[in-house]
Amino acid sequence: MHRERTKKTINIISTVIFGVCLVLFMLTFSIGLPIYGRFFYFLQVRILGFDKAAGFSYEEVIKAYNEVLNFCTLPWVTKFSAGSLKFSADGAAHFADCKALFNLNLGVLIASAALLLTAVLLNKFKIISLLRIKGHRVYLISAAVAVALPVLVILIVAAVGFDRAFEGFHAMFFPGKDNWVFDPAADEIIKVMPEQFFMNCAIIIACGLIGFATALICADLILFGREKGKTAYPAPFYILIAFIVFEGAIYCAFNVITLGLGEGTDLIKYVAIIVCFIVAAVNCFFGRNKDCLFVAAAMLFTVVADLFLLALDDYYPAGIASFIVVQSINLARIYYARKKIPVISGAVRLTVVAVLLTVLGACGSLTIVSALSAIYFPQLVINAADSALLIKKSKRYILLFIGLLLFIGCDACVGLDNFTEVGINIPAAALDIINPAIWLFYLPSQVFITLSADVPYTRTQQRAKAQPHPLCENI
């Protein structure tokens, strides 16, 4: 008995360590992307023109950046240099501090990878057992943490502004020092590493974390299905994988193009939403149930809404009205699955909408757009709360719940972005974060909602009893 308890305790500790190491590995790996992927910087120099803005040639900038990164990342490079660009003693000291942090990141990356590999091998040879939560592997929790980290950072930056967040970051990692405040005349390297560059690095890290987490979630779903005695159902399964890969690529592409290169990507974004509808419609053929029809109908009106709000960038009342229809369909879907009439939920919705319309009228801010928004947003929030009640019924409703939560995050950013229209001033630095965060939330929300449909991505294997071969029946 004591031996079993000891073994269980060891397995719990091993599982916790595995989950923590996985989060650390994903985080340090993602941080390493802009550090060791120098081509990200070279691409920005070419397109954003860091060299021309600073008054240097492309070759001078690349040589300076390579020498700075060599000093920061290579242990045997001990003397700081920046090509032909001038630098001060304080500037060199700051990059020495960066070198220590970069080496720490690399050390944690290698150590966490080693511990993960060790745990996998020990589990493989049944020396330890990595525990699961209702059949799901621990890396599902690690993936959730990895997704939460960039979302948390975005919320913090949106709340305090990029400049204050940047200062807070340096105060945290370089305590008691101010040599990170560069004088462009004395440290010319800062001229070719502007604020936009550091923001793009943060975007790359966030995309790396989210991409890694998405891959882990897909792997867990596939393995969970196989271990339940299921095998891939050809068409919908491969459509699922292709859909996730396509939307992931689109997500990374428009974030890099919009946030990193400053170019418009409305067409790419709209294509991504249309693809969500196409997949939802195709799912109706395979699922052949009302749940799939609800999802397809909701995605159809989402396409209509984004036609007005995104593609045409006009007819906003029609776009918001379409989103009201979307949430009405979600309401019908949720309560059809619950097999109940939304009496209490309906009363709460009507009450909240009435209060909001009254407040808007009293403030003199009641317009068609504000009235429609007051009708729409409560439906979204309450639908998210109601969808949480469906999770006990089926785990796939977790996807609907997450999708609606991300949808709320998107619309919250839209609301903040439009505060200036009602006389509330938002700092420009905060708006620079809030505006791109809209689509950081929005596309994942639509992908999760699409994936929440009741589609047989797998089919149960039939384990038939052994039967004699027809040719042997008469033997």
Side-chain angles (χ1 to χ4, degrees), residues 335 338 340-351 382 386:
Y335 278 89
R338 295 185 66 190
K340 292 183 179 180
I341 298 175
V343 178
I344 297 176
S345 179
V348 172
R349 293 164 192 260
L350 290 174
T351 302
I382 299 173
D386 287 345

Side-chain angles (χ1 to χ4, degrees), residues 19-38:
V20 172
C21 286
L22 186 54
V23 173
L24 290 175
F25 177 79
M26 287 190 286
L27 180 61
T28 52
F29 178 85
S30 300
I31 292 173
L33 289 176
I35 295 174
Y36 300 102
R38 300 188 188 186

Side-chain angles (χ1 to χ4, degrees), residues 233-274:
Y233 189 87
F237 177 79
Y238 291 114
I239 289 173
L240 166 70
I241 300 301
F243 173 60
I244 293 173
V245 171
F246 175 83
E247 295 291 354
I250 289 291
Y251 186 76
C252 293
F254 75 66
N255 278 307
V256 170
I257 295 172
T258 302
L259 304 179
L261 308 180
E263 298 293 334
T265 54
D266 288 350
L267 179 59
I268 296 176
K269 293 172 180 175
Y270 192 56
V271 168
I273 298 302
I274 292 175

Side-chain angles (χ1 to χ4, degrees), residues 130-366:
L130 296 176
L131 304 179
R132 302 183 186 184
I133 301 173
K134 294 185 177 181
H136 291 278
R137 289 161 174 77
V138 67
Y139 52 68
L140 197 62
I141 298 176
S142 299
V145 174
V147 171
L149 287 174
V151 173
L152 178 62
V153 171
I154 289 171
L155 292 176
I156 292 174
V157 173
V160 303
F162 182 79
D163 291 338
R164 288 187 62 189
F166 192 70
E167 292 174 5
F169 169 84
H170 283 83
M172 181 185 301
F173 289 98
F174 306 99
K177 296 185 178 182
D178 59 1
N179 56 9
W180 56 270
V181 181
F182 285 89
D183 178 3
D187 291 286
E188 294 180 328
I189 188 66
I190 200 62
K191 294 181 179 180
V192 291
M193 296 174 69
E195 185 178 282
Q196 182 70 49
F197 165 69
F198 293 105
M199 187 179 294
N200 294 342
C201 289
I203 293 167
I204 293 168
I205 293 170
C207 290
L209 273 172
I210 294 172
F212 216 135
T214 302
L216 288 178
I217 292 171
C218 292
D220 178 77
L221 293 176
I222 293 170
L223 293 174
F224 180 78
R226 287 180 178 177
E227 290 172 359
K228 288 294 184 180
K230 297 179 179 180
T231 184
Y233 189 87
F237 177 79
Y238 291 114
I239 289 173
L240 166 70
I241 300 301
F243 173 60
I244 293 173
V245 171
F246 175 83
E247 295 291 354
I250 289 291
Y251 186 76
C252 293
F254 75 66
N255 278 307
V256 170
I257 295 172
T258 302
L259 304 179
L261 308 180
E263 298 293 334
T265 54
D266 288 350
L267 179 59
I268 296 176
K269 293 172 180 175
Y270 192 56
V271 168
I273 298 302
I274 292 175
V275 170
C276 286
F277 165 67
I278 292 173
V279 171
V282 171
N283 285 342
C284 293
F285 174 77
F286 296 108
R288 303 194 180 198
N289 55 57
K290 290 185 178 179
D291 190 71
C292 291
L293 290 174
F294 281 130
V295 176
M299 291 310 306
L300 173 61
F301 279 95
T302 300
V303 169
V304 173
D306 284 328
L307 173 65
F308 296 118
L309 301 175
L310 178 67
L312 299 178
D313 193 20
D314 203 350
Y315 308 104
Y316 300 118
I320 300 172
S322 298
F323 272 132
I324 293 175
V325 176
V326 170
Q327 295 311 318
S328 299
I329 295 171
N330 286 334
L331 170 64
R333 178 191 179 191
I334 291 167
Y335 278 89
Y336 178 81
R338 295 185 66 190
K339 298 180 180 178
K340 292 183 179 180
I341 298 175
V343 178
I344 297 176
S345 179
V348 172
R349 293 164 192 260
L350 290 174
T351 302
V352 173
V353 169
V355 170
L356 289 176
L357 291 176
T358 302
V359 171
L360 288 172
C363 296
S365 301
L366 189 62

Side-chain angles (χ1 to χ4, degrees), residues 10-23 115-116 119:
I10 292 173
N11 290 337
I12 292 174
I13 294 173
S14 300
T15 303
V16 171
I17 292 174
F18 181 86
V20 172
C21 286
L22 186 54
V23 173
L115 288 172
L116 289 173

